[in-house]
Amino acid sequence: MPITVNHVVISVSQGDITAWQGDMIVNASNSGLYGGGGVDGAIHRAGGPRIAEECAVIRQKQGGVLPGEAAVTSAGIMTFRGVIHTVGPIWKGGNAGEPMILANCYTNSLDLACAHEAHSIAFPNISTGIYNFPKELACKVALDSVIQYVRQRRIPGLPLQRIEFVCFERDNADLYKATLKTYS
Ligand code: ADP
């Protein structure tokens, strides 16, 4: 069941984020913005070569993207208004600031979505694949940071109306749905 916070509907679904319908999707990328496996591979495959070309331009301009930060490209041949590439932390045991870096991924992505006047945005479960971030903690960090962001409406006149967590795996979808309930 979705919840509504400050007029923003926050929901969870299970599936492939490239098939989601809305304004902008977030990619769990890497610091070099090189298309990789997991959700990154799926987004580059679905969007076509233009996304990688735009990632190369960002790389040339600013040398990549640091963990916790984010950058925008077009969505190539997908119909989204853009793709927000954020770089999650690689889990190193939890004492290297991983939760704060992961929270920054969510808030910086929301800042970019607002700057691009997006009305809706979908997030994958950043860092919980190859980067090995523990799933329960990642879920808490994701929901805490997104809900706190919406509560505080950090940007005046926040354009966002809908935020969805698109979980690829069934266990993550169940975890996010159960955890989201605790915020209502
Ligand atoms: P990271 O390197 O940040 O861990 P991964 O892509 O390996 O990134 O995994 C992040 C999450 O994305 C995982 O929960 C994985 O199951 C999920 N994922 C993989 N493919 C897709 C997809 N097509 N749509 C949405 N989520 C996906």
Side-chain angles (χ1 to χ4, degrees):
M1 278 290 284
I3 66 166
T4 303
V5 178
N6 241 344
H7 308 287
V8 180
V9 178
I10 301 170
S11 59
V12 175
S13 64
Q14 190 191 351
D16 175 357
I17 202 165
T18 65
W20 183 74
Q21 300 208 329
D23 282 350
M24 295 184 97
I25 59 170
V26 176
N27 181 20
S29 192
N30 49 70
S31 284
L33 298 187
Y34 296 105
V39 67
D40 195 17
I43 287 172
H44 279 270
R45 272 194 303 279
R50 188 165 151 203
I51 298 180
E53 286 161 20
E54 292 178 33
C55 285
V57 173
I58 295 169
R59 204 160 49 234
Q60 277 155 17
K61 241 192 246 166
Q62 61 186 62
V65 173
L66 290 171
E69 297 188 348
V72 177
T73 66
S74 78
I77 59 170
M78 295 185 287
T79 56
F80 306 112
R81 278 165 58 178
V83 174
I84 298 170
H85 303 266
T86 189
V87 181
I90 298 171
W91 182 257
K92 292 176 183 153
N95 294 319
E98 297 95 326
M100 180 56 74
I101 297 168
L102 185 60
N104 290 343
C105 289
Y106 285 94
T107 53
N108 286 324
S109 295
L110 289 169
D111 274 346
L112 279 179
C114 290
H116 285 77
E117 300 282 322
H119 295 299
S120 55
I121 181 173
F123 284 102
N125 304 140
I126 302 162
S127 280
T128 66
I130 301 158
Y131 283 4
N132 218 18
F133 201 108
K135 291 179 181 178
E136 282 200 15
L137 180 58
C139 173
K140 195 178 155 17
V141 169
L143 291 179
D144 271 355
S145 53
V146 166
I147 288 168
Q148 198 183 38
Y149 186 99
V150 173
R151 281 201 182 122
Q152 296 175 343
R153 296 183 72 110
R154 283 175 37 180
I155 304 230
L158 188 73
L160 279 170
Q161 295 164 358
R162 187 160 66 93
I163 301 172
E164 190 154 316
F165 294 93
V166 178
C167 307
F168 197 58
E169 298 152 36
R170 174 73 192 270
D171 59 346
N172 260 340
D174 290 344
L175 173 65
Y176 275 68
K177 282 178 189 167
T179 310
L180 186 64
K181 267 191 206 159
T182 67
Y183 288 86
S184 57

